[in-house]
Amino acid sequence: KEDITLVHSTLYEPDQFHYLHSYNDAEACFSLLKTFICFLGHSHVPAAILKDTDGSIRTETKEEVGLKDARQAIINVGSVGQPRDKDPRACYVLYDTDAALIRFRRLEYDIDAASKKIREAGLPEIEAERLRHGY
């Protein structure tokens, strides 16, 4: 078994569905994190937030992020729908436990079909249009 926590939004006040956007947000989450790694996704923005052995916090957005030098890690897995990082492709994460490596992966998908379903469901137009731009 791995030392993993899975949540939708932040570890603090999870019922409030906060976004993890700032250093203070990261500190609040790390203060509650009891495992080595936490996967979350509420903001739809893929990133690795790492707490290094010296206690400093840094954010990595590269395609591959090594975790060997991290004391703890919070990984925002991105989104397979409604991306918010200006990349309209779906995003998911692979966690290689042996190599201590996170790999962010992107896939093209049928944005026109997804937008059509959003419109047919009666949701706001912005929800359909943002798919094309990833915001």
Side-chain angles (χ1 to χ4, degrees), residues 4-121:
I4 296 173
T5 299
L6 303 171
V7 296
H8 179 80
S9 64
T10 59
L11 289 170
Y12 66 93
E13 299 178 339
D15 57 327
Q16 298 298 308
F17 296 100
H18 295 295
Y19 291 102
L20 181 59
H21 284 312
S22 72
Y23 179 86
N24 289 340
D25 296 334
E27 276 192 322
C29 285
F30 280 122
S31 74
L32 297 169
L33 184 59
K34 306 274 190 254
T35 61
F36 169 66
I37 193 166
C38 175
F39 292 95
L40 57 82
H42 181 56
S43 74
H44 296 226
V45 178
I49 300 116
L50 307 176
K51 185 172 192 176
D52 290 329
T53 55
D54 66 0
S56 63
I57 296 173
R58 62 189 165 95
T59 300
E60 298 283 348
T61 57
K62 300 178 291 193
E63 186 176 312
E64 293 190 355
V65 179
L67 303 177
K68 288 184 179 176
D69 295 330
R71 180 186 303 162
Q72 288 181 304
I74 299 172
I75 310 300
N76 191 317
V77 299
S79 176
V80 294
Q82 297 290 326
R84 301 285 192 273
D85 65 336
K86 298 185 174 133
D87 185 335
R89 297 174 298 164
C91 183
Y92 65 96
V93 167
L94 297 174
Y95 176 31
D96 184 334
T97 56
D98 292 333
L101 188 69
I102 294 293
R103 292 183 178 97
F104 291 98
R105 295 291 188 246
R106 298 286 188 156
L107 295 172
E108 300 288 339
Y109 69 100
D110 190 343
I111 292 173
D112 290 334
S115 295
K116 181 179 177 189
K117 288 180 182 182
I118 289 170
R119 288 183 186 96
E120 288 172 351

